[in-house]
Amino acid sequence: MEQLYHITNKISIETQHCFERLEKTTGEETQRLMLDIQDKIAEIDRNCEKLDTWPYKLPLTRRQAAKLKVDNLKYDNQHMKAALRIFQSRLYEREREQREREELLSRRWDVNTPARDQETSILIGHSLQHNLSLQ
Protein backbone atom coordinates (compact mmCIF):
# COMPACT_ATOMS: atom_id res chain seq x y z
CA MET A 1 0.00 0.00 0.00
CA GLU A 2 2.91 2.30 0.65
CA GLN A 3 3.92 1.85 -2.98
CA LEU A 4 0.38 2.71 -4.16
CA TYR A 5 0.57 5.92 -2.13
CA HIS A 6 3.85 6.90 -3.78
CA ILE A 7 2.50 6.10 -7.25
CA THR A 8 -0.63 8.18 -6.57
CA ASN A 9 1.45 11.05 -5.23
CA LYS A 10 3.59 10.94 -8.37
CA ILE A 11 0.45 11.03 -10.56
CA SER A 12 -0.77 14.02 -8.57
CA ILE A 13 2.46 15.89 -9.20
CA GLU A 14 2.33 15.01 -12.91
CA THR A 15 -1.23 16.33 -13.05
CA GLN A 16 -0.14 19.62 -11.53
CA HIS A 17 2.55 19.91 -14.21
CA CYS A 18 -0.11 19.22 -16.85
CA PHE A 19 -2.07 22.18 -15.48
CA GLU A 20 0.98 24.39 -15.94
CA ARG A 21 1.31 23.26 -19.56
CA LEU A 22 -2.43 23.65 -20.08
CA GLU A 23 -2.25 27.38 -19.42
CA LYS A 24 0.28 27.77 -22.25
CA THR A 25 -1.38 25.64 -24.94
CA THR A 26 -4.03 26.34 -27.55
CA GLY A 27 -6.18 24.38 -29.98
CA GLU A 28 -6.20 20.60 -30.09
CA GLU A 29 -3.29 20.38 -27.65
CA THR A 30 -5.57 21.96 -25.02
CA GLN A 31 -8.24 19.31 -25.56
CA ARG A 32 -5.67 16.52 -25.39
CA LEU A 33 -4.21 17.86 -22.15
CA MET A 34 -7.66 18.27 -20.60
CA LEU A 35 -8.49 14.64 -21.39
CA ASP A 36 -5.12 13.57 -19.96
CA ILE A 37 -5.82 15.51 -16.77
CA GLN A 38 -9.29 13.97 -16.47
CA ASP A 39 -7.80 10.48 -16.82
CA LYS A 40 -5.18 11.19 -14.17
CA ILE A 41 -7.78 12.61 -11.78
CA ALA A 42 -9.92 9.49 -12.26
CA GLU A 43 -6.90 7.29 -11.56
CA ILE A 44 -6.13 9.24 -8.40
CA ASP A 45 -9.75 8.77 -7.29
CA ARG A 46 -9.52 5.01 -7.81
CA ASN A 47 -6.23 4.82 -5.93
CA CYS A 48 -7.56 6.93 -3.06
CA GLU A 49 -10.49 4.54 -2.66
CA LYS A 50 -8.00 1.69 -2.29
CA LEU A 51 -5.84 3.75 0.07
CA ASP A 52 -8.77 4.50 2.40
CA THR A 53 -8.29 1.15 4.11
CA TRP A 54 -4.50 1.40 4.25
CA PRO A 55 -4.21 3.38 7.54
CA TYR A 56 -6.34 0.81 9.39
CA LYS A 57 -3.88 -1.95 8.49
CA LEU A 58 -1.00 -0.11 10.12
CA PRO A 59 0.01 -0.03 13.78
CA LEU A 60 -1.74 2.60 15.85
CA THR A 61 1.40 4.76 16.07
CA ARG A 62 1.61 5.15 12.27
CA ARG A 63 -2.13 5.21 11.56
CA GLN A 64 -2.64 8.97 12.04
CA ALA A 65 0.24 9.91 9.73
CA ALA A 66 -0.96 7.52 7.02
CA LYS A 67 -4.53 8.83 7.26
CA LEU A 68 -3.22 12.37 6.95
CA LYS A 69 -1.27 11.46 3.81
CA VAL A 70 -4.35 9.91 2.17
CA ASP A 71 -6.50 12.87 3.16
CA ASN A 72 -3.95 15.25 1.63
CA LEU A 73 -4.07 13.31 -1.63
CA LYS A 74 -7.87 13.53 -1.65
CA TYR A 75 -7.75 17.24 -0.86
CA ASP A 76 -5.29 17.93 -3.67
CA ASN A 77 -7.41 15.88 -6.05
CA GLN A 78 -10.53 17.87 -5.17
CA HIS A 79 -8.65 21.09 -5.91
CA MET A 80 -7.46 19.74 -9.24
CA LYS A 81 -11.03 18.80 -10.16
CA ALA A 82 -12.21 22.31 -9.31
CA ALA A 83 -9.35 23.88 -11.27
CA LEU A 84 -10.20 21.78 -14.30
CA ARG A 85 -13.89 22.77 -14.12
CA ILE A 86 -12.92 26.45 -13.87
CA PHE A 87 -10.53 26.15 -16.80
CA GLN A 88 -13.17 24.40 -18.91
CA SER A 89 -15.79 27.03 -18.15
CA ARG A 90 -13.35 29.84 -19.04
CA LEU A 91 -12.44 28.02 -22.26
CA TYR A 92 -16.08 27.55 -23.26
CA GLU A 93 -16.83 31.19 -22.42
CA ARG A 94 -13.94 32.37 -24.63
CA GLU A 95 -15.12 30.12 -27.46
CA ARG A 96 -18.68 31.47 -27.13
CA GLU A 97 -17.42 35.06 -27.18
CA GLN A 98 -15.29 34.28 -30.24
CA ARG A 99 -18.30 32.81 -32.07
CA GLU A 100 -20.42 35.85 -31.20
CA ARG A 101 -17.65 38.19 -32.32
CA GLU A 102 -17.31 36.35 -35.64
CA GLU A 103 -21.07 36.43 -36.10
CA LEU A 104 -21.16 40.19 -35.56
CA LEU A 105 -18.22 40.79 -37.87
CA SER A 106 -19.71 38.69 -40.66
CA ARG A 107 -23.15 40.32 -40.48
CA ARG A 108 -24.10 42.65 -43.33
CA TRP A 109 -25.48 45.97 -42.12
CA ASP A 110 -27.93 48.05 -44.16
CA VAL A 111 -28.60 51.76 -44.01
CA ASN A 112 -31.24 52.69 -41.46
CA THR A 113 -33.73 54.10 -43.98
CA PRO A 114 -37.01 52.42 -44.88
CA ALA A 115 -37.34 50.93 -48.33
CA ARG A 116 -39.47 52.70 -50.93
CA ASP A 117 -42.19 50.10 -50.94
CA GLN A 118 -42.46 50.03 -47.15
CA GLU A 119 -44.06 52.79 -45.16
CA THR A 120 -43.99 53.49 -41.48
CA SER A 121 -47.39 54.17 -39.96
CA ILE A 122 -48.27 54.95 -36.41
CA LEU A 123 -51.73 54.17 -35.16
CA ILE A 124 -52.67 57.29 -33.21
CA GLY A 125 -56.24 57.68 -34.47
CA HIS A 126 -57.91 56.78 -31.17
CA SER A 127 -55.52 58.95 -29.14
CA LEU A 128 -56.03 61.89 -31.55
CA GLN A 129 -59.82 61.55 -31.38
CA HIS A 130 -59.72 61.38 -27.57
CA ASN A 131 -57.50 64.49 -27.43
CA LEU A 132 -59.81 66.45 -29.76
CA SER A 133 -62.88 65.52 -27.78
CA LEU A 134 -61.27 66.73 -24.57
CA GLN A 135 -60.51 70.10 -26.12
Side-chain angles (χ1 to χ4, degrees):
M1 282 297 198
E2 184 86 24
Q3 184 179 5
L4 182 62
Y5 168 76
H6 290 298
I7 291 170
T8 308
N9 194 31
K10 182 181 176 189
I11 295 170
S12 179
I13 292 169
E14 288 173 3
T15 307
Q16 291 170 1
H17 290 301
C18 286
F19 272 107
E20 292 171 6
R21 289 190 323 220
L22 187 63
E23 293 292 329
K24 299 173 186 173
T25 62
T26 58
E28 291 182 20
E29 181 71 15
T30 302
Q31 296 298 326
R32 190 187 61 74
L33 270 174
M34 285 185 355
L35 289 174
D36 188 33
I37 289 172
Q38 286 175 343
D39 291 342
K40 288 180 186 218
I41 287 174
E43 186 176 355
I44 292 169
D45 276 338
R46 287 190 302 273
N47 289 351
C48 283
E49 287 177 12
K50 294 175 187 174
L51 286 171
D52 277 338
T53 59
W54 174 50
Y56 300 107
K57 296 178 181 178
L58 295 174
L60 191 58
T61 55
R62 295 182 47 208
R63 189 174 294 172
Q64 184 68 25
K67 178 122 177 78
L68 184 63
K69 287 180 179 181
V70 173
D71 287 343
N72 282 339
L73 277 177
K74 288 181 181 179
Y75 182 77
D76 290 344
N77 197 34
Q78 290 298 322
H79 279 280
M80 287 187 284
K81 285 180 186 177
L84 183 61
R85 280 192 304 269
I86 290 169
F87 183 84
Q88 286 174 332
S89 66
R90 280 189 293 156
L91 181 66
Y92 296 143
E93 183 68 22
R94 275 189 252 133
E95 288 174 355
R96 184 187 60 78
E97 288 173 355
Q98 183 65 27
R99 280 193 310 272
E100 288 175 357
R101 188 176 302 114
E102 290 298 322
E103 181 182 318
L104 282 174
L105 290 174
S106 66
R107 182 178 284 176
R108 299 271 309 153
W109 297 97
D110 295 333
V111 181
N112 290 334
T113 57
R116 291 182 183 176
D117 58 339
Q118 297 176 347
E119 293 184 17
T120 304
S121 60
I122 302 173
L123 302 173
I124 61 169
H126 179 70
S127 299
L128 181 62
Q129 183 183 10
H130 180 69
N131 189 15
L132 291 175
S133 66
L134 288 175
Q135 289 179 359

